[in-house]
Amino acid sequence: MWQVYLSGEIHTDWRDQIISGADQRGLPVTFSSAVTDHEASDAAGDSLGKEASPFWRDHKSAKVNAIRTKTLIEQCDLAIIRFGDKYKQWNAAFDAGYCAALGTPYITLHDADIVHPLKEVDGSAMAWAQTPEQVVELLVYLTLQQ
């Protein structure tokens, strides 16, 4: 069973498309992800006490979220890292760098119009896909059983 971590952009249904495609093909894959509910992610550290400054609230929540992200990336066999066109996904770039440092293979998923700003991220990726369907096809190939 392959453990696949889905990182990046949270404003479209790309995760659902990949999970559905893998399920339809019966692939031996389980998926994990960062928290994709924006409000829940922003509030991750709120149970530790109220902060007077938004900076410290974000700082605390980022650390709590990092526990999940770090653990799931370290446990995965492969990461899919999505960069959308609407917002800058600094967290996705960070996840790609962490994967590269760990030696964890990752596939980037993004449109052709952002190839240039992602050249270093793509340079360490094992593949670049432009659609969730391409990712599913890669997962089919990677999980072929002999």
Side-chain angles (χ1 to χ4, degrees):
M1 186 65 69
W2 284 62
Q3 304 292 322
V4 177
Y5 184 75
L6 303 174
S7 169
E9 185 259 324
I10 65 169
H11 302 285
T12 63
D13 68 346
W14 69 273
R15 283 179 179 83
D16 295 334
Q17 291 178 48
I18 292 171
I19 293 168
S20 175
D23 286 347
Q24 289 172 6
R25 303 289 285 269
L27 300 181
V29 177
T30 59
F31 294 96
S32 61
S33 178
V35 173
T36 59
D37 178 302
H38 200 128
E39 293 302 318
S41 175
D42 286 351
D46 286 357
S47 64
L48 299 174
K50 185 169 175 55
E51 294 295 335
S53 163
F55 172 84
W56 290 112
R57 180 182 188 235
D58 285 348
H59 183 78
K60 189 186 307 181
S61 291
K63 287 186 171 204
V64 171
N65 283 323
I67 295 168
R68 177 185 177 94
T69 302
K70 181 179 183 298
T71 300
L72 293 174
I73 287 175
E74 289 172 357
Q75 293 173 350
C76 78
D77 299 303
L78 173 70
I80 310 300
I81 303 179
R82 165 76 178 152
F83 293 90
D85 59 355
K86 191 170 184 181
Y87 300 99
K88 293 177 176 54
Q89 289 90 46
W90 307 117
N91 58 319
F94 190 89
D95 290 354
Y98 192 52
C99 287
L102 290 173
T104 300
Y106 68 90
I107 296 167
T108 55
L109 172 60
H110 62 82
D111 294 334
D113 62 344
I114 56 174
V115 165
H116 179 72
L118 291 173
K119 63 186 173 294
E120 287 82 8
V121 173
D122 286 339
S124 291
M126 298 294 109
W128 162 47
Q130 296 182 64
T131 67
E133 294 79 16
Q134 288 177 326
V135 172
V136 172
E137 291 305 316
L138 290 171
L139 292 173
V140 168
Y141 176 77
L142 293 171
T143 62
L144 282 176
Q145 300 191 4
Q146 303 294 329

